[in-house]
Amino acid sequence: MSVADFRAELGDIPQEDNPRIVQQRSRDHYWYSPVLKAKLDHVSAEVVVSPRSTEEVKTVLRAAYRHGVAITPRGAGTGNYGQAMPLSGGAMLNMMNMDKVIEIKRDRVLAQAGAVLEKMDHETREAVGSELRFHPSTYRMASLGGFIAGGSGGVGSVRWGGLRNLGSILGLKIVTCEAEPRELGLVGEDVLKVAHAYGTNGIIVEAEMPLAPAYDWIDVIVGFDAFMDAARFAEAVALQDGLLVKEVSPCAAPIPEAYFNRHKPYLKDGQSVVLIMVAPVSMDSLALFVDHHKGEMRYRADLATEDEKRRLPPIYELAWNHTTLRALKIDNSITYLQTRYPTIEHVRRIVEMLGDELPMHIEMTRQDGVVTFSGLPMVRYTSEERLEEIIRIHEDNGCNVFNPHRYTLEEGGMKRTDHKQLAFKREADPKGMLNPGKMVAWENPDFDFNAGKAWLFDGLNAVRTA
Amino acid sequence: MSVADFRAELGDIPQEDNPRIVQQRSRDHYWYSPVLKAKLDHVSAEVVVSPRSTEEVKTVLRAAYRHGVAITPRGAGTGNYGQAMPLSGGAMLNMMNMDKVIEIKRDRVLAQAGAVLEKMDHETREAVGSELRFHPSTYRMASLGGFIAGGSGGVGSVRWGGLRNLGSILGLKIVTCEAEPRELGLVGEDVLKVAHAYGTNGIIVEAEMPLAPAYDWIDVIVGFDAFMDAARFAEAVALQDGLLVKEVSPCAAPIPEAYFNRHKPYLKDGQSVVLIMVAPVSMDSLALFVDHHKGEMRYRADLATEDEKRRLPPIYELAWNHTTLRALKIDNSITYLQTRYPTIEHVRRIVEMLGDELPMHIEMTRQDGVVTFSGLPMVRYTSEERLEEIIRIHEDNGCNVFNPHRYTLEEGGMKRTDHKQLAFKREADPKGMLNPGKMVAWENPDFDFNAGKAWLFDGLNAVRTA
């Protein structure tokens, strides 16, 4: 591996090798996890390369292949599990210079991988009154390619499910890492070969996404004295087919009063809340439904002054991973889990067993057509052992955990090899140069996912073809 | 009761008393049911009155109250259970002259009761690219007020639920039948006082409805050799959050080959089909999904010629009550039921038990957030006793039946009194002049809905205040 030889072939493609800047660009939000923080703190690339076109991406990958330099693609770096952290050093491929929206139709948009989601929505709203079906809470920064490669769903998933659903990604254009890199167009189920693969088996350069109608969504906060009443209300709202909502998230006390600083004047101490984004056409019906459920309407953006709205972050920046982010800003002993509770009874049992050690935060989502409690509970972290115990308590009680304290693709939740992604890596990245260390099945095909020792896998190696 | 005195007070409000025309206008699609056909064939009003404004509706109701003349409101008369048939004679109130779309916004529309649904959609599509969330298969003829007063859901209910869902009707304006008729605005849950009340407790003159984005929905027919494969596929499509569909309906063989005449060149004898309307953005994903389920793509409107499309009725006119309508045109021994199958296993059991005596037809719907098999199975009718037996077989096997062979509100499915509707009738129609005979609880407050003799209730009386 010669990074110098690699760099020499890049022509005028922008490069950055200031070590402080390179290290900064080698990180994502891995520090959400104390476990990952300890493991990944030292990780850094040697250079950041910022191509401005698909041709330049090909130039980079051609040179990387020839000189055995690891390539880790990165959008805005808003992932939480080190998805875009270069475990084997090499080059960080910064995609944020490729940020153009290429084509807008009323029901779909084609854009480059580095397009920022909020900016895309701004353009499509202006042009055709449409917007992306769903987005992460890092909407203002996150890139389209990064979301597809490292995300799964978010605000809007209560209506539209997630990225892995059929029809959620219409097409992808990727570049392979070979002697002569190819552009490949993937449509239909083939998009799943590279979606949520952390850039391990092809560099996403363009994506076509379906659009939903854009509305002036109204931020709403509803208070309940008991968390389970908040959870029941949240489920009921998500089940109301006639109520057009984009976000429904119950957060247990003391999360709101402790961490939603700027909303504090609207909150009541001791109350749990449900965060909601509702379409104007459904606002009156929602208000009625709140009354029926004996909730307290604590904030309605449609009744707020312009000045109030300016002071407050949007509701989606209290939700999804921003809930934990806000807590971490105030209390760095907080971490979190990603869970799924099959029924409200499972929620009740876990809340009862773990109490304030696990301040509950749920995102209502649709999963294959079924309204589901997707948990992002906070954890008051004491030790890795206790964290594992909390995971086991979930599993013993019939609740799923998608572990956000792992940086490999498979350990994060699948607990198995995705053979289509693995097979595609053989084709698109035969030397294993792309984001090495993230796909367990590539590094160690015999890995036993049932051994219960998933953590012991060590992806922090130099790239094996080097 | 003096119809002559009543008529004398109507000024220049259009009236029609040609007995043949009046009888024709006194009928709906009650002949779907051999039971109702026998009971209601003789029913006729004495005069048809056709007001052109809310003021004229008030004039009609003032005169009706004073002279004790029964008033039965009617839109296009596309109901199937005699909803708009004047059991006690009197005057038929034809609302079709009040057909204006009053105000269109991107997410809602305000229109008069007699506005025809398809025409409304045409106007809102032109103006703002939006359309009604759902409509009956009689879309081209049915009026807004008639749909609200006598319908429940339809094409689009697979996504948006039904009229009774919170938020499905934003507001109603009604006129009461009193000495001095009042205009009342109903919003929120108050709309449920008069929605699906057959016009028994107030005359709907205006309605505000939410709009959904309009797409150039693509008609699709998928064939399966086994009906249960069709049903499984239909459920799976309805559960795919990423697939934007407006209609999903499995129809068992021999329904398609026997009754979908104009589509015959596209069908295969012996096959069951699934009728689908899909948004263009989801067409490719749907085609992929058809392959996965080993279905045969028998018709795709997006690949049809203009000439083919001109020859074919839209898919929604094969679905909902049009399925039975097409059968009735060919075989007048056919009738139908309205059912609900909690799971696909319930569908399988009923299909297995009843076979070709009950050619199965299902509409996939969302009911309170849950994808549901709403049945509209045909029945090869032999006798009323056997029909009752088929209903009992359903009920004994845990399937609900909403009996379409009853003309009263309660017997049609609720099997209980809606106390809010009853209470509102006391307020809005104190003399009981509006559509008399349809609300069991008004005519006979002591009626025992558990007695299993619902049919024995006789609403065919002269209006009791006359």
Side-chain angles (χ1 to χ4, degrees):
Chain A
M1 169 166 100
S2 164
V3 172
D5 292 347
F6 161 78
R7 294 181 60 178
E9 290 191 15
L10 301 186
D12 70 346
I13 298 173
Q15 302 183 23
E16 172 63 62
D17 58 9
N18 176 317
R20 286 180 61 98
I21 296 176
V22 174
Q23 181 169 60
Q24 186 202 333
R25 295 289 185 81
S26 298
R27 292 179 164 177
D28 62 12
H29 294 176
Y30 72 109
W31 40 262
Y32 268 54
S33 161
V35 180
L36 293 184
K37 178 140 179 54
K39 295 261 173 191
L40 301 181
D41 232 20
H42 68 285
V43 164
S44 183
E46 291 169 60
V47 62
V48 177
V49 180
S50 304
R52 294 155 299 193
S53 67
T54 299
E55 275 313 308
E56 290 190 352
V57 171
K58 284 167 138 174
T59 301
V60 173
L61 295 184
R62 194 182 295 115
Y65 183 87
R66 185 170 327 168
H67 300 291
V69 171
I71 294 286
T72 301
R74 181 186 195 267
T78 55
N80 292 0
Y81 338 122
Q83 289 102 312
M85 291 181 71
L87 301 181
S88 306
M92 168 62 58
L93 185 68
N94 166 34
M95 296 299 290
M96 299 304 278
N97 276 348
M98 292 176 63
D99 63 352
K100 302 223 173 13
V101 176
I102 299 165
E103 189 180 39
I104 298 172
K105 293 182 181 164
R106 181 158 170 264
D107 62 358
R108 64 195 80 192
V109 59
L110 177 67
Q112 288 186 310
V116 172
L117 300 175
E118 189 194 34
K119 197 169 153 291
M120 285 178 67
D121 270 2
H122 184 75
E123 289 190 40
T124 55
R125 275 174 168 262
E126 284 288 306
V128 295
S130 303
E131 64 186 16
L132 293 165
R133 288 177 169 178
F134 44 78
H135 62 74
S137 64
T138 51
Y139 185 50
R140 301 203 210 195
M141 300 161 61
S143 71
L144 178 60
F147 183 40
I148 291 170
S152 54
V155 180
S157 289
V158 66
R159 187 146 195 91
W160 292 102
L163 281 167
R164 284 193 75 84
N165 283 127
L166 186 65
S168 292
I169 302 169
L170 299 178
L172 295 175
K173 190 199 276 185
I174 66 145
V175 175
T176 63
C177 188
E178 301 173 274
E180 198 41 61
R182 290 172 292 157
E183 289 176 39
L184 298 179
L186 304 177
V187 296
E189 68 195 314
D190 284 346
V191 301
L192 297 181
K193 292 177 180 172
V194 300
H196 206 78
Y198 297 5
T200 55
N201 57 7
I203 303 300
I204 298 169
V205 289
E206 287 177 17
E208 189 176 34
M209 305 294 281
L211 295 177
Y215 295 104
D216 294 326
W217 302 101
I218 299 169
D219 285 352
V220 170
I221 302 179
V222 184
F224 290 88
D225 290 339
F227 173 70
M228 288 310 296
D229 288 339
R232 260 183 290 273
F233 172 71
E235 184 184 31
V237 168
L239 286 168
Q240 283 289 325
D241 300 309
L243 281 185
L244 183 52
V245 291
K246 186 165 179 173
E247 168 68 15
V248 182
S249 170
C251 299
I255 293 173
E257 67 197 75
Y259 308 127
F260 296 169
N261 275 354
R262 285 194 277 166
H263 282 88
K264 206 141 185 211
Y266 306 93
L267 306 174
K268 191 158 129 190
D269 281 2
Q271 274 195 340
S272 297
V273 300
V274 181
L275 308 172
I276 299 173
M277 286 167 69
V278 62
V281 75
S282 294
M283 183 66 234
D284 289 347
S285 304
L286 177 67
L288 186 73
F289 207 55
V290 169
D291 284 345
H292 272 263
H293 280 258
K294 301 188 170 42
E296 286 180 27
M297 189 69 83
R298 304 224 59 93
Y299 177 72
R300 274 179 68 160
D302 61 331
L303 303 182
T305 65
E306 284 309 309
D307 186 54
E308 281 177 290
K309 282 191 276 188
R310 247 193 314 277
R311 279 200 314 268
L312 296 171
I315 282 282
Y316 66 75
E317 288 187 353
L318 304 180
W320 291 87
N321 282 333
H322 263 73
T323 320
T324 305
L325 181 61
R326 288 183 186 277
L328 275 166
K329 282 182 181 169
I330 289 166
D331 177 354
N332 68 10
S333 74
I334 292 281
T335 188
Y336 75 122
L337 281 177
Q338 296 180 155
T339 59
R340 185 162 56 201
Y341 304 104
T343 67
I344 197 157
E345 176 54 23
H346 290 81
V347 174
R348 196 196 57 73
R349 206 179 311 153
I350 293 294
V351 165
E352 195 173 282
M353 291 176 76
L354 293 168
D356 190 55
E357 185 181 6
L358 191 94
M360 186 52 81
H361 163 212
I362 286 169
E363 295 289 342
M364 301 310 304
T365 61
R366 277 192 195 264
Q367 307 223 352
D368 297 325
V370 179
V371 168
T372 302
F373 297 91
S374 293
L376 285 169
M378 295 184 191
V379 178
R380 299 195 192 274
Y381 185 74
T382 47
S383 70
E384 208 175 322
E385 291 66 38
R386 179 58 186 166
L387 186 61
E388 290 297 326
E389 211 167 297
I390 291 171
I391 291 173
R392 217 185 44 249
I393 289 170
H394 272 79
E395 291 172 344
D396 289 350
N397 283 279
C399 308
N400 304 108
V401 177
F402 311 94
N403 198 335
H405 304 280
R406 300 289 180 271
Y407 57 77
T408 65
L409 260 174
E410 295 96 327
E411 293 170 295
M414 290 193 295
K415 305 266 168 63
R416 59 184 172 77
T417 296
D418 183 325
H419 289 285
K420 283 184 186 167
Q421 290 191 343
L422 176 62
F424 193 66
K425 186 170 174 74
R426 290 199 189 97
E427 185 183 329
D429 180 28
K431 267 185 160 180
M433 307 311 304
L434 298 180
N435 208 349
K438 298 292 170 55
M439 189 188 278
V440 173
W442 180 266
E443 319 281 334
N444 179 3
D446 301 323
F447 187 77
D448 178 5
F449 291 102
N450 295 317
K453 296 177 180 175
W455 177 233
L456 298 178
F457 175 78
D458 184 8
L460 286 164
N461 297 309
V463 53
R464 66 173 184 160
T465 60
Chain B
M1 167 166 102
S2 164
V3 172
D5 293 346
F6 160 77
R7 292 180 64 177
E9 289 191 17
L10 300 185
D12 71 344
I13 299 172
Q15 303 181 26
E16 172 64 61
D17 58 10
N18 177 319
R20 284 180 64 97
I21 296 177
V22 173
Q23 180 169 60
Q24 185 201 335
R25 295 289 184 80
S26 297
R27 291 179 164 176
D28 63 10
H29 294 175
Y30 72 108
W31 38 264
Y32 271 53
S33 161
V35 180
L36 294 184
K37 179 141 179 51
K39 295 259 173 192
L40 301 182
D41 232 22
H42 68 286
V43 165
S44 182
E46 292 169 60
V47 61
V48 177
V49 180
S50 303
R52 294 156 297 191
S53 67
T54 298
E55 275 314 307
E56 291 190 350
V57 171
K58 284 166 138 175
T59 300
V60 173
L61 295 184
R62 194 182 296 116
Y65 183 87
R66 184 168 328 165
H67 300 290
V69 172
I71 294 286
T72 302
R74 182 185 194 267
T78 57
N80 292 2
Y81 337 122
Q83 290 102 312
M85 291 182 70
L87 302 182
S88 306
M92 168 62 57
L93 186 67
N94 165 36
M95 297 299 290
M96 299 304 279
N97 276 348
M98 292 177 62
D99 63 352
K100 303 223 173 10
V101 175
I102 299 166
E103 188 181 39
I104 298 172
K105 293 183 181 164
R106 182 158 170 265
D107 62 359
R108 66 194 80 193
V109 60
L110 177 67
Q112 289 184 309
V116 172
L117 300 174
E118 189 194 36
K119 198 169 153 289
M120 283 179 68
D121 270 4
H122 184 75
E123 288 191 39
T124 55
R125 275 173 168 262
E126 285 287 306
V128 296
S130 303
E131 64 185 16
L132 293 166
R133 288 177 169 178
F134 43 78
H135 62 74
S137 65
T138 50
Y139 185 48
R140 301 205 210 193
M141 298 161 62
S143 71
L144 178 59
F147 184 39
I148 292 171
S152 54
V155 180
S157 289
V158 67
R159 187 147 197 93
W160 293 102
L163 281 168
R164 284 194 75 84
N165 283 128
L166 186 65
S168 292
I169 302 169
L170 299 178
L172 294 175
K173 190 199 275 185
I174 66 146
V175 174
T176 62
C177 188
E178 302 173 272
E180 197 42 62
R182 290 172 294 156
E183 288 177 39
L184 298 179
L186 303 178
V187 296
E189 67 196 314
D190 285 346
V191 301
L192 297 181
K193 291 176 181 173
V194 300
H196 206 77
Y198 297 4
T200 54
N201 56 8
I203 302 302
I204 299 170
V205 289
E206 288 177 16
E208 189 176 36
M209 304 294 282
L211 295 177
Y215 295 104
D216 294 326
W217 303 101
I218 299 169
D219 285 352
V220 171
I221 301 178
V222 184
F224 290 88
D225 290 338
F227 173 71
M228 287 311 297
D229 289 339
R232 262 184 289 273
F233 171 71
E235 183 184 33
V237 169
L239 286 167
Q240 284 287 327
D241 300 309
L243 282 185
L244 184 52
V245 290
K246 187 164 179 174
E247 167 68 13
V248 183
S249 171
C251 299
I255 294 173
E257 67 197 75
Y259 309 126
F260 297 169
N261 275 354
R262 284 195 277 168
H263 282 87
K264 207 143 185 212
Y266 307 93
L267 305 174
K268 192 159 127 190
D269 280 1
Q271 275 196 340
S272 297
V273 302
V274 180
L275 309 172
I276 299 175
M277 288 167 66
V278 60
V281 76
S282 295
M283 183 65 235
D284 289 348
S285 304
L286 177 67
L288 188 72
F289 206 56
V290 169
D291 284 345
H292 273 264
H293 280 258
K294 301 189 171 41
E296 285 179 27
M297 189 69 83
R298 304 224 60 91
Y299 176 71
R300 273 179 67 160
D302 61 331
L303 303 182
T305 65
E306 284 309 309
D307 186 53
E308 281 178 290
K309 282 190 277 188
R310 247 193 313 276
R311 277 201 315 271
L312 296 171
I315 282 282
Y316 66 76
E317 288 187 353
L318 304 181
W320 290 88
N321 282 334
H322 263 72
T323 319
T324 305
L325 180 62
R326 287 182 187 280
L328 274 166
K329 283 181 180 171
I330 290 167
D331 178 354
N332 68 10
S333 74
I334 291 281
T335 188
Y336 75 122
L337 281 177
Q338 297 180 153
T339 59
R340 185 160 58 200
Y341 303 105
T343 68
I344 196 156
E345 176 52 24
H346 291 80
V347 175
R348 196 197 56 73
R349 206 178 311 153
I350 293 293
V351 165
E352 197 172 280
M353 291 176 75
L354 293 168
D356 191 54
E357 185 182 5
L358 191 95
M360 186 53 81
H361 163 212
I362 287 168
E363 295 288 342
M364 301 309 305
T365 61
R366 279 192 194 263
Q367 306 224 354
D368 296 326
V370 178
V371 168
T372 302
F373 298 91
S374 293
L376 285 168
M378 293 183 193
V379 179
R380 298 194 192 276
Y381 185 75
T382 46
S383 69
E384 206 175 324
E385 292 65 40
R386 179 57 185 165
L387 186 62
E388 290 297 326
E389 208 168 298
I390 291 172
I391 292 173
R392 213 184 50 246
I393 290 170
H394 273 80
E395 291 172 344
D396 289 350
N397 282 279
C399 308
N400 305 108
V401 176
F402 311 94
N403 197 337
H405 303 280
R406 299 290 180 267
Y407 57 77
T408 64
L409 260 173
E410 295 98 326
E411 292 170 295
M414 291 195 295
K415 305 265 167 63
R416 60 185 170 77
T417 297
D418 183 325
H419 289 285
K420 283 184 186 167
Q421 290 190 344
L422 176 62
F424 192 66
K425 187 171 174 72
R426 289 198 190 98
E427 185 183 332
D429 180 28
K431 268 187 163 178
M433 306 312 305
L434 298 181
N435 207 350
K438 299 293 171 56
M439 189 187 277
V440 173
W442 180 265
E443 320 282 332
N444 179 2
D446 300 323
F447 188 77
D448 178 6
F449 291 102
N450 296 317
K453 296 178 182 173
W455 177 232
L456 297 178
F457 175 77
D458 184 8
L460 286 165
N461 297 309
V463 53
R464 65 173 184 161
T465 60

